Amino acid sequence: MSYWPLLGIALVVAGFALRLNPALIVVAAGLVTGLVSGRTPLQVLELLGEAFTKQRYLTVFLLTLPVIGLLERHGLKEHAQAWIRRLRGATAGRLLIAYLGARQIASALGLTSLGGHPQTVRPLLAPMAEAAAEARHGPLPEDSRERLKALSAATDNVGLFFGEDIFIAFGAVLLMQGFYAEHGIVLEPLHIALWGIPTALCAFLIHGWRLARLDRRLQREAAAIGARGGAAARGPGEAR
């Protein structure tokens, strides 16, 4: 048994660790894996082309990028931020918790395309979280702003990942059902999906707790910035 084809996995890990272009890393790993497994360069390109033609629907998401760009150019972020500022009880943590719950429920119903980083997180969720935090705590420092963006993306990931496991037609559920069937264990996809509910609930509680702490952290940071600004305004002589 040859372990050389596993070199592609090592290439992917090294490329991501070095933060290189993900698309180039994946293509390079596929080429290396095919070559070290004994295929000719022409056969490798043939396999890549065949996989692309069979999965052409995966590139449909590229059509959404120009649409999102046009919406942002015409003030999508600004309108979202203005709307969230008008909600008195809205905070960054509450907003993200609400999105987490909605994302999990929609994914459990198979509606995975209702959210996502390019079409929801970047143009809507992250700006709305920033606006809610600024309305409550004032201008945010750059590190807090970047943390909000990261938490917005993480919230979408957690909601999608643990929500879609409950959908009985999800590929992973069917894969597990087929694996068990090959080994003589008969399980219905519904049973596998139902066992994903406790995990989804735990994921919601754990990540929701992190998001609930976000508002308190932003409040402490705003208080610290206000204290430093007050000390600077008083001057060295008044501080004594």
Side-chain angles (χ1 to χ4, degrees):
M1 181 178 179
S2 175
Y3 292 97
W4 283 109
L6 298 178
L7 185 62
I9 299 177
L11 184 61
V12 171
V13 173
F16 285 170
L18 296 174
R19 298 184 178 181
L20 302 178
N21 188 294
L24 294 178
I25 294 169
V26 173
V27 173
L31 293 174
V32 170
T33 301
L35 293 175
V36 299
S37 62
R39 298 182 181 271
T40 64
L42 186 59
Q43 289 175 327
V44 175
L45 291 177
E46 183 180 353
L47 286 173
L48 292 176
E50 182 180 354
F52 176 79
T53 55
K54 287 183 177 180
Q55 308 293 335
R56 282 178 295 178
Y57 68 91
L58 294 176
T59 60
V60 173
F61 79 95
L62 294 176
L63 299 177
T64 64
L65 299 182
V67 176
I68 296 299
L70 287 173
L71 290 174
E72 289 188 1
R73 181 167 182 170
H74 288 83
L76 177 63
K77 289 183 178 181
E78 289 74 13
H79 286 295
Q81 289 176 335
W83 177 75
I84 201 66
R85 287 193 181 100
R86 290 196 295 267
L87 299 180
R88 294 183 179 180
T91 66
R94 294 172 186 171
L95 172 67
L96 294 178
I97 290 174
Y99 180 81
L100 175 63
R103 185 70 161 133
Q104 275 196 331
I105 294 173
S107 300
L109 297 175
L111 304 176
T112 57
S113 299
L114 291 183
H117 291 191
Q119 67 267 35
T120 304
V121 175
R122 183 182 184 274
L124 288 175
L125 185 62
M128 289 170 68
E130 292 179 34
E134 289 179 343
R136 184 62 63 95
H137 308 292
L140 299 175
E142 189 61 27
D143 57 342
S144 299
R145 195 178 300 275
E146 293 299 323
R147 187 182 302 112
L148 273 177
K149 294 178 182 178
L151 278 174
S152 299
T155 300
D156 186 88
N157 288 343
V158 173
L160 173 64
F161 186 85
F162 291 99
E164 63 186 359
D165 287 339
I166 307 174
F167 185 51
I168 59 174
F170 178 50
V173 173
L174 300 179
L175 177 64
M176 288 186 285
Q177 190 265 344
F179 174 81
Y180 283 119
E182 289 179 359
H183 292 78
I185 303 174
V186 179
L187 284 177
E188 294 295 331
L190 178 60
H191 297 158
I192 300 175
L194 289 177
W195 278 104
I197 295 178
T199 306
L201 290 175
C202 291
F204 179 84
L205 293 175
I206 294 172
H207 193 64
W209 176 71
R210 295 179 61 199
L211 297 175
R213 295 176 57 201
L214 172 65
D215 291 328
R216 293 194 294 269
R217 180 169 185 171
L218 291 173
Q219 186 175 3
R220 289 195 302 267
E221 291 177 352
I225 293 174
R228 288 197 298 268
R234 287 194 301 269
E238 296 182 15
R240 297 193 191 96

mmCIF file of all heavy atoms in Angstrom, residues 98-116 120 156 159-168 170:
data_model
loop_
_atom_site.group_PDB
_atom_site.id
_atom_site.type_symbol
_atom_site.label_atom_id
_atom_site.label_comp_id
_atom_site.label_asym_id
_atom_site.label_seq_id
_atom_site.Cartn_x
_atom_site.Cartn_y
_atom_site.Cartn_z
ATOM 1 N N ALA A 98 -29.941 35.657 17.747
ATOM 2 C CA ALA A 98 -31.144 35.484 16.933
ATOM 3 C C ALA A 98 -30.799 34.903 15.569
ATOM 4 O O ALA A 98 -31.499 34.012 15.057
ATOM 5 C CB ALA A 98 -31.858 36.828 16.775
ATOM 6 N N TYR A 99 -29.708 35.371 14.964
ATOM 7 C CA TYR A 99 -29.305 34.835 13.666
ATOM 8 C C TYR A 99 -28.862 33.382 13.805
ATOM 9 O O TYR A 99 -29.146 32.555 12.916
ATOM 10 C CB TYR A 99 -28.165 35.673 13.088
ATOM 11 C CG TYR A 99 -27.691 35.166 11.745
ATOM 12 C CD1 TYR A 99 -28.394 35.485 10.582
ATOM 13 C CD2 TYR A 99 -26.566 34.374 11.639
ATOM 14 C CE1 TYR A 99 -27.979 35.017 9.347
ATOM 15 C CE2 TYR A 99 -26.137 33.895 10.407
ATOM 16 C CZ TYR A 99 -26.849 34.220 9.265
ATOM 17 O OH TYR A 99 -26.423 33.741 8.044
ATOM 18 N N LEU A 100 -28.176 33.044 14.896
ATOM 19 C CA LEU A 100 -27.749 31.664 15.120
ATOM 20 C C LEU A 100 -28.953 30.727 15.155
ATOM 21 O O LEU A 100 -28.946 29.661 14.515
ATOM 22 C CB LEU A 100 -26.954 31.566 16.415
ATOM 23 C CG LEU A 100 -26.536 30.162 16.869
ATOM 24 C CD1 LEU A 100 -25.603 29.515 15.848
ATOM 25 C CD2 LEU A 100 -25.867 30.226 18.242
ATOM 26 N N GLY A 101 -29.992 31.113 15.909
ATOM 27 C CA GLY A 101 -31.178 30.281 15.986
ATOM 28 C C GLY A 101 -31.877 30.154 14.641
ATOM 29 O O GLY A 101 -32.284 29.056 14.236
ATOM 30 N N ALA A 102 -32.008 31.266 13.922
ATOM 31 C CA ALA A 102 -32.669 31.228 12.618
ATOM 32 C C ALA A 102 -31.866 30.401 11.616
ATOM 33 O O ALA A 102 -32.441 29.655 10.808
ATOM 34 C CB ALA A 102 -32.856 32.656 12.092
ATOM 35 N N ARG A 103 -30.547 30.515 11.689
ATOM 36 C CA ARG A 103 -29.693 29.755 10.754
ATOM 37 C C ARG A 103 -29.787 28.262 11.025
ATOM 38 O O ARG A 103 -29.838 27.454 10.091
ATOM 39 C CB ARG A 103 -28.249 30.231 10.903
ATOM 40 C CG ARG A 103 -27.279 29.609 9.890
ATOM 41 C CD ARG A 103 -27.532 30.117 8.521
ATOM 42 N NE ARG A 103 -26.395 29.899 7.633
ATOM 43 C CZ ARG A 103 -26.493 29.394 6.424
ATOM 44 N NH1 ARG A 103 -27.676 29.056 5.937
ATOM 45 N NH2 ARG A 103 -25.431 29.250 5.658
ATOM 46 N N GLN A 104 -29.827 27.874 12.281
ATOM 47 C CA GLN A 104 -29.930 26.455 12.605
ATOM 48 C C GLN A 104 -31.280 25.890 12.173
ATOM 49 O O GLN A 104 -31.349 24.798 11.599
ATOM 50 C CB GLN A 104 -29.733 26.237 14.102
ATOM 51 C CG GLN A 104 -28.275 26.129 14.521
ATOM 52 C CD GLN A 104 -28.126 25.539 15.904
ATOM 53 O OE1 GLN A 104 -28.998 25.682 16.756
ATOM 54 N NE2 GLN A 104 -27.001 24.884 16.146
ATOM 55 N N ILE A 105 -32.340 26.607 12.440
ATOM 56 C CA ILE A 105 -33.678 26.117 12.084
ATOM 57 C C ILE A 105 -33.818 26.016 10.563
ATOM 58 O O ILE A 105 -34.327 25.014 10.032
ATOM 59 C CB ILE A 105 -34.753 27.044 12.673
ATOM 60 C CG1 ILE A 105 -34.739 26.968 14.202
ATOM 61 C CG2 ILE A 105 -36.132 26.670 12.143
ATOM 62 C CD1 ILE A 105 -35.655 27.966 14.875
ATOM 63 N N ALA A 106 -33.363 27.026 9.846
ATOM 64 C CA ALA A 106 -33.455 26.991 8.385
ATOM 65 C C ALA A 106 -32.620 25.851 7.806
ATOM 66 O O ALA A 106 -33.056 25.153 6.884
ATOM 67 C CB ALA A 106 -33.002 28.328 7.804
ATOM 68 N N SER A 107 -31.423 25.642 8.353
ATOM 69 C CA SER A 107 -30.570 24.557 7.864
ATOM 70 C C SER A 107 -31.174 23.199 8.171
ATOM 71 O O SER A 107 -31.050 22.259 7.383
ATOM 72 C CB SER A 107 -29.176 24.665 8.490
ATOM 73 O OG SER A 107 -28.559 25.897 8.166
ATOM 74 N N ALA A 108 -31.835 23.069 9.332
ATOM 75 C CA ALA A 108 -32.485 21.804 9.680
ATOM 76 C C ALA A 108 -33.620 21.480 8.721
ATOM 77 O O ALA A 108 -33.971 20.307 8.544
ATOM 78 C CB ALA A 108 -33.003 21.858 11.113
ATOM 79 N N LEU A 109 -34.192 22.494 8.081
ATOM 80 C CA LEU A 109 -35.254 22.295 7.105
ATOM 81 C C LEU A 109 -34.713 22.160 5.687
ATOM 82 O O LEU A 109 -35.492 22.056 4.721
ATOM 83 C CB LEU A 109 -36.247 23.459 7.159
ATOM 84 C CG LEU A 109 -36.992 23.629 8.485
ATOM 85 C CD1 LEU A 109 -37.849 24.883 8.446
ATOM 86 C CD2 LEU A 109 -37.846 22.402 8.787
ATOM 87 N N GLY A 110 -33.385 22.176 5.545
ATOM 88 C CA GLY A 110 -32.764 22.047 4.233
ATOM 89 C C GLY A 110 -32.560 23.356 3.509
ATOM 90 O O GLY A 110 -32.091 23.358 2.363
ATOM 91 N N LEU A 111 -32.874 24.489 4.140
ATOM 92 C CA LEU A 111 -32.748 25.804 3.500
ATOM 93 C C LEU A 111 -31.375 26.382 3.814
ATOM 94 O O LEU A 111 -31.240 27.426 4.463
ATOM 95 C CB LEU A 111 -33.866 26.728 3.979
ATOM 96 C CG LEU A 111 -35.283 26.202 3.765
ATOM 97 C CD1 LEU A 111 -36.305 27.149 4.374
ATOM 98 C CD2 LEU A 111 -35.560 25.994 2.280
ATOM 99 N N THR A 112 -30.335 25.706 3.352
ATOM 100 C CA THR A 112 -28.971 26.116 3.687
ATOM 101 C C THR A 112 -28.525 27.360 2.926
ATOM 102 O O THR A 112 -27.592 28.044 3.343
ATOM 103 C CB THR A 112 -27.992 24.969 3.383
ATOM 104 O OG1 THR A 112 -28.112 24.597 1.992
ATOM 105 C CG2 THR A 112 -28.308 23.754 4.243
ATOM 106 N N SER A 113 -29.171 27.669 1.809
ATOM 107 C CA SER A 113 -28.744 28.811 0.994
ATOM 108 C C SER A 113 -29.327 30.138 1.457
ATOM 109 O O SER A 113 -29.056 31.168 0.846
ATOM 110 C CB SER A 113 -29.136 28.570 -0.475
ATOM 111 O OG SER A 113 -28.503 27.427 -0.983
ATOM 112 N N LEU A 114 -30.134 30.120 2.531
ATOM 113 C CA LEU A 114 -30.707 31.376 3.023
ATOM 114 C C LEU A 114 -29.661 32.250 3.695
ATOM 115 O O LEU A 114 -29.876 33.443 3.873
ATOM 116 C CB LEU A 114 -31.846 31.085 3.998
ATOM 117 C CG LEU A 114 -33.109 30.469 3.389
ATOM 118 C CD1 LEU A 114 -34.176 30.298 4.462
ATOM 119 C CD2 LEU A 114 -33.633 31.321 2.243
ATOM 120 N N GLY A 115 -28.555 31.670 4.122
ATOM 121 C CA GLY A 115 -27.475 32.432 4.742
ATOM 122 C C GLY A 115 -26.177 32.144 4.018
ATOM 123 O O GLY A 115 -26.150 31.529 2.953
ATOM 124 N N GLY A 116 -25.093 32.608 4.610
ATOM 125 C CA GLY A 116 -23.789 32.398 3.998
ATOM 126 C C GLY A 116 -22.921 33.621 4.134
ATOM 127 O O GLY A 116 -23.408 34.728 4.370
ATOM 128 N N THR A 120 -24.818 37.064 3.048
ATOM 129 C CA THR A 120 -25.497 37.502 4.272
ATOM 130 C C THR A 120 -24.541 38.096 5.298
ATOM 131 O O THR A 120 -24.785 39.190 5.818
ATOM 132 C CB THR A 120 -26.267 36.322 4.913
ATOM 133 O OG1 THR A 120 -27.178 35.783 3.961
ATOM 134 C CG2 THR A 120 -27.044 36.785 6.136
ATOM 135 N N ASP A 156 -22.481 32.087 11.635
ATOM 136 C CA ASP A 156 -23.047 31.470 10.441
ATOM 137 C C ASP A 156 -22.533 30.038 10.291
ATOM 138 O O ASP A 156 -23.300 29.126 9.957
ATOM 139 C CB ASP A 156 -22.691 32.294 9.209
ATOM 140 C CG ASP A 156 -23.360 31.782 7.952
ATOM 141 O OD1 ASP A 156 -24.487 32.213 7.674
ATOM 142 O OD2 ASP A 156 -22.754 30.945 7.253
ATOM 143 N N GLY A 159 -24.210 27.727 13.014
ATOM 144 C CA GLY A 159 -25.612 27.485 12.715
ATOM 145 C C GLY A 159 -25.804 26.544 11.542
ATOM 146 O O GLY A 159 -26.637 25.628 11.587
ATOM 147 N N LEU A 160 -25.015 26.724 10.488
ATOM 148 C CA LEU A 160 -25.131 25.861 9.311
ATOM 149 C C LEU A 160 -24.646 24.453 9.600
ATOM 150 O O LEU A 160 -25.323 23.465 9.285
ATOM 151 C CB LEU A 160 -24.335 26.469 8.155
ATOM 152 C CG LEU A 160 -24.210 25.603 6.899
ATOM 153 C CD1 LEU A 160 -25.574 25.376 6.269
ATOM 154 C CD2 LEU A 160 -23.256 26.242 5.901
ATOM 155 N N PHE A 161 -23.476 24.332 10.213
ATOM 156 C CA PHE A 161 -22.843 23.021 10.397
ATOM 157 C C PHE A 161 -23.690 22.109 11.267
ATOM 158 O O PHE A 161 -23.899 20.935 10.935
ATOM 159 C CB PHE A 161 -21.455 23.211 11.021
ATOM 160 C CG PHE A 161 -20.668 21.943 11.125
ATOM 161 C CD1 PHE A 161 -19.910 21.489 10.058
ATOM 162 C CD2 PHE A 161 -20.680 21.195 12.283
ATOM 163 C CE1 PHE A 161 -19.186 20.314 10.147
ATOM 164 C CE2 PHE A 161 -19.963 20.013 12.383
ATOM 165 C CZ PHE A 161 -19.217 19.583 11.315
ATOM 166 N N PHE A 162 -24.185 22.625 12.383
ATOM 167 C CA PHE A 162 -24.932 21.769 13.305
ATOM 168 C C PHE A 162 -26.425 21.721 12.979
ATOM 169 O O PHE A 162 -27.127 20.845 13.483
ATOM 170 C CB PHE A 162 -24.729 22.253 14.739
ATOM 171 C CG PHE A 162 -23.332 22.042 15.233
ATOM 172 C CD1 PHE A 162 -22.420 23.085 15.228
ATOM 173 C CD2 PHE A 162 -22.917 20.808 15.689
ATOM 174 C CE1 PHE A 162 -21.122 22.906 15.672
ATOM 175 C CE2 PHE A 162 -21.629 20.617 16.138
ATOM 176 C CZ PHE A 162 -20.720 21.665 16.128
ATOM 177 N N GLY A 163 -26.900 22.666 12.152
ATOM 178 C CA GLY A 163 -28.297 22.621 11.765
ATOM 179 C C GLY A 163 -28.569 21.648 10.631
ATOM 180 O O GLY A 163 -29.556 20.913 10.649
ATOM 181 N N GLU A 164 -27.656 21.609 9.637
ATOM 182 C CA GLU A 164 -27.910 20.751 8.483
ATOM 183 C C GLU A 164 -27.791 19.272 8.820
ATOM 184 O O GLU A 164 -28.292 18.426 8.069
ATOM 185 C CB GLU A 164 -26.951 21.117 7.345
ATOM 186 C CG GLU A 164 -25.483 20.887 7.658
ATOM 187 C CD GLU A 164 -24.574 21.392 6.559
ATOM 188 O OE1 GLU A 164 -25.105 21.900 5.552
ATOM 189 O OE2 GLU A 164 -23.342 21.275 6.693
ATOM 190 N N ASP A 165 -27.140 18.931 9.941
ATOM 191 C CA ASP A 165 -27.067 17.524 10.344
ATOM 192 C C ASP A 165 -28.430 16.963 10.733
ATOM 193 O O ASP A 165 -28.591 15.743 10.831
ATOM 194 C CB ASP A 165 -26.097 17.357 11.519
ATOM 195 C CG ASP A 165 -24.650 17.510 11.081
ATOM 196 O OD1 ASP A 165 -24.391 17.349 9.878
ATOM 197 O OD2 ASP A 165 -23.789 17.796 11.923
ATOM 198 N N ILE A 166 -29.407 17.825 10.986
ATOM 199 C CA ILE A 166 -30.740 17.367 11.366
ATOM 200 C C ILE A 166 -31.602 17.105 10.128
ATOM 201 O O ILE A 166 -32.628 16.426 10.222
ATOM 202 C CB ILE A 166 -31.413 18.404 12.284
ATOM 203 C CG1 ILE A 166 -30.494 18.740 13.471
ATOM 204 C CG2 ILE A 166 -32.743 17.925 12.817
ATOM 205 C CD1 ILE A 166 -31.022 19.853 14.352
ATOM 206 N N PHE A 167 -31.187 17.635 8.984
ATOM 207 C CA PHE A 167 -31.956 17.454 7.756
ATOM 208 C C PHE A 167 -31.722 16.046 7.220
ATOM 209 O O PHE A 167 -30.585 15.640 6.973
ATOM 210 C CB PHE A 167 -31.527 18.501 6.728
ATOM 211 C CG PHE A 167 -32.325 18.482 5.462
ATOM 212 C CD1 PHE A 167 -33.703 18.516 5.495
ATOM 213 C CD2 PHE A 167 -31.688 18.426 4.238
ATOM 214 C CE1 PHE A 167 -34.442 18.506 4.325
ATOM 215 C CE2 PHE A 167 -32.417 18.417 3.065
ATOM 216 C CZ PHE A 167 -33.794 18.449 3.111
ATOM 217 N N ILE A 168 -32.809 15.275 7.022
ATOM 218 C CA ILE A 168 -32.659 13.855 6.692
ATOM 219 C C ILE A 168 -32.069 13.635 5.300
ATOM 220 O O ILE A 168 -31.512 12.570 5.027
ATOM 221 C CB ILE A 168 -34.016 13.120 6.791
ATOM 222 C CG1 ILE A 168 -35.039 13.746 5.841
ATOM 223 C CG2 ILE A 168 -34.536 13.153 8.223
ATOM 224 C CD1 ILE A 168 -36.346 12.989 5.785
ATOM 225 N N PHE A 170 -29.632 15.432 4.038
ATOM 226 C CA PHE A 170 -28.278 15.993 4.000
ATOM 227 C C PHE A 170 -27.292 14.904 3.595
ATOM 228 O O PHE A 170 -27.417 13.737 3.995
ATOM 229 C CB PHE A 170 -27.930 16.577 5.364
ATOM 230 C CG PHE A 170 -26.535 17.130 5.456
ATOM 231 C CD1 PHE A 170 -26.057 18.015 4.505
ATOM 232 C CD2 PHE A 170 -25.706 16.765 6.498
ATOM 233 C CE1 PHE A 170 -24.780 18.525 4.583
ATOM 234 C CE2 PHE A 170 -24.430 17.275 6.593
ATOM 235 C CZ PHE A 170 -23.963 18.145 5.630
#
